Amino acid sequence: GIYGLPQNTPISYQKADGLPSENLISVAKDHQGRILFGDDEGNLNILSGNKLRIERLKSVDGYNRILKILPLGQQGTWVATDEGIYIYRPDGARVQLPPLGSPKTILADKGQVWCGTSARLLSVSTETLQINQSLTQRITAIGKDSEGIIWMGGIEGLYNSQDSFHYNWGNKFPYLQSRIIDIQGNNNNVLWVATPEAGLLKIIVKKGRVEKVLRANAYLPKPVQNIHSIFMEDNGRIWLATNRGIFGIAANSWNLVHYDHHDGLANDDIRSVTVHNDTLWAATASGLSRMVLSGNYSNGDFASLVSGYRYIEDKHVNEVFFDNSPKTHRVSTLPINAGMVEVDFAGL
């Protein structure tokens, strides 16, 4: 049928639009304005305007997650996958670095790229591709603070380059005695760190020392759990990709916004987010979603139509869709033991 949608309604790209896999893991925007997003099968999707191009990376068993995409302009686009690190040069050439273990994350810093793998921390020159090993340990996250100090997260703590990654700050701050999921630094001596147990942490740092650790869920209006990744805008606002949608936290307060499938996202399970010029791109388990965060929204003055609903009964999810022509009156009865009821609305 035909639906009328308000201006700036979120849109999604899925298999019907040419994606080889909808299970997306990472997303980034390059200096040309292209949206780069990777899936779980080793496909790097490149969206330029409405044109989609796919770069296929090898996969031994058909499963090769593209974990991180790092556009670096003339130094190429660096891509970390389960099976290796690749560099796409501006001239179109593709280079694969020698085996470094199983990559987990990458971070650009002053002519080099830090690479965290399942066994070590490495730095690679963006010009010569010379590889230097810094530490033998499982690395799960890398970030940089406003003083240029590199912070590294492992499976049980947080370290930094000020002392060559020797001291584990989890020994002093128990919240950091955990696997570190992601690290983002801002311009005010603050690190944002995601952990499985404590959730989001706001860490005050100075000259390589942790001064204070604040648990964000103690200040937010509602707790945020199960964080997959963190993205920070230039204005300091941070965005959290979780399995319950996307959460945004204002730069200088604990004001919180939340978006999920009710707001038009393809799926609540969000793996990665990037935001540029008030446009949010989300890598979800059901495709890529684009959402305009501000602008001239049309009220539409649409009447509300219930298009379907879902509920849980005896541990099973049941869904009911109203596919026939809209009626002015319709009755649908829920079972007496129905729980977790969700109703879908559409505008007419």
Side-chain angles (χ1 to χ4, degrees):
I2 298 175
Y3 296 86
L5 298 176
Q7 185 181 0
N8 294 329
T9 295
I11 62 173
S12 294
Y13 299 84
Q14 299 174 304
K15 280 194 172 182
D17 303 294
L19 301 191
S21 170
E22 294 181 350
N23 192 20
L24 303 184
I25 308 297
S26 54
V27 62
K29 186 177 182 180
D30 69 9
H31 68 289
Q32 301 179 50
R34 301 179 303 176
I35 302 301
L36 315 176
F37 53 105
D39 62 26
D40 60 340
E41 297 178 0
N43 298 301
L44 177 64
N45 304 275
I46 303 171
L47 184 64
S48 179
N50 292 321
K51 294 182 179 180
L52 178 67
R53 179 166 63 88
I54 301 170
E55 291 284 343
R56 303 181 189 274
L57 302 174
K58 70 176 185 178
S59 174
V60 175
D61 58 2
Y63 185 75
N64 184 20
R65 295 173 301 166
I66 294 184
L67 301 169
K68 192 88 170 184
I69 304 169
L70 193 59
L72 296 180
Q74 292 303 310
Q75 280 71 48
T77 296
W78 293 58
V79 180
T81 80
D82 283 323
E83 298 181 4
I85 294 177
Y86 300 82
I87 306 164
Y88 286 87
R89 297 296 195 189
D91 61 6
R94 186 175 79 186
V95 178
Q96 182 177 5
L97 295 183
L100 305 174
S102 178
K104 301 301 177 185
T105 187
I106 51 179
L107 174 78
D109 174 52
K110 299 178 182 177
Q112 62 184 346
V113 171
W114 291 91
C115 303
T117 78
S118 58
R120 56 184 60 88
L121 177 66
L122 307 154
S123 61
V124 183
S125 168
T126 56
E127 295 294 334
T128 66
L129 301 188
Q130 179 179 341
I131 300 173
N132 297 304
Q133 180 169 316
S134 297
L135 185 68
T136 301
Q137 184 175 321
R138 181 180 178 88
I139 312 300
T140 56
I142 309 174
K144 182 169 68 172
D145 68 20
S146 56
E147 297 177 314
I149 295 172
I150 301 299
W151 293 78
M152 178 274 292
I155 57 174
E156 54 183 15
L158 186 69
Y159 308 76
N160 69 66
S161 59
Q162 188 75 352
D163 65 352
S164 301
F165 305 101
H166 285 146
Y167 183 70
N168 180 3
W169 286 94
N171 294 332
K172 185 174 182 180
F173 297 93
Y175 282 145
L176 297 176
Q177 290 181 345
S178 172
R179 180 170 66 90
I180 306 299
I181 298 171
D182 202 0
I183 304 170
Q184 286 287 339
N186 71 7
N187 296 323
N188 299 311
N189 291 333
V190 171
L191 288 179
W192 293 98
V193 173
T195 70
E197 293 84 9
L200 181 68
L201 302 174
K202 183 178 182 179
I203 303 178
I204 312 302
V205 298
K206 186 176 182 180
K207 296 181 180 180
R209 296 183 58 84
V210 175
E211 303 283 327
K212 183 185 294 186
V213 176
L214 301 175
R215 189 167 179 260
N217 283 339
Y219 301 90
L220 295 172
K222 64 178 178 179
V224 179
Q225 303 289 355
N226 302 318
I227 301 169
H228 294 310
S229 63
I230 307 171
F231 177 82
M232 177 172 291
E233 291 188 74
D234 293 338
N235 62 13
R237 177 183 287 274
I238 66 169
W239 296 91
L240 308 176
T242 81
N243 67 353
R244 298 296 300 273
I246 300 168
F247 294 84
I249 301 177
N252 300 312
S253 71
W254 295 105
N255 291 337
L256 187 71
V257 295
H258 178 219
Y259 302 109
D260 60 15
H261 73 276
H262 296 98
D263 301 290
L265 297 177
N267 194 297
D268 285 349
D269 193 0
I270 314 296
R271 316 296 175 73
S272 179
V273 170
T274 190
V275 179
H276 295 275
N277 298 327
D278 296 325
T279 300
L280 179 150
W281 297 86
T284 86
S286 298
L288 179 73
S289 290
R290 187 202 72 183
M291 174 181 290
V292 178
L293 299 175
S294 66
N296 297 319
Y297 294 95
S298 171
N299 291 329
D301 196 21
F302 294 131
S304 294
L305 169 73
V306 176
S307 58
Y309 63 90
R310 64 189 63 82
Y311 60 91
I312 295 178
E313 181 184 22
D314 298 328
K315 298 183 179 181
H316 294 287
V317 177
N318 299 284
E319 294 187 277
V320 177
F321 298 101
F322 300 143
D323 296 325
N324 297 327
S325 299
K327 297 180 179 179
T328 57
H329 182 72
R330 169 177 270 166
V331 176
S332 183
T333 304
L334 286 167
I336 192 171
N337 59 339
M340 300 293 288
V341 179
E342 293 185 350
V343 180
D344 294 329
F345 293 92
L348 282 184

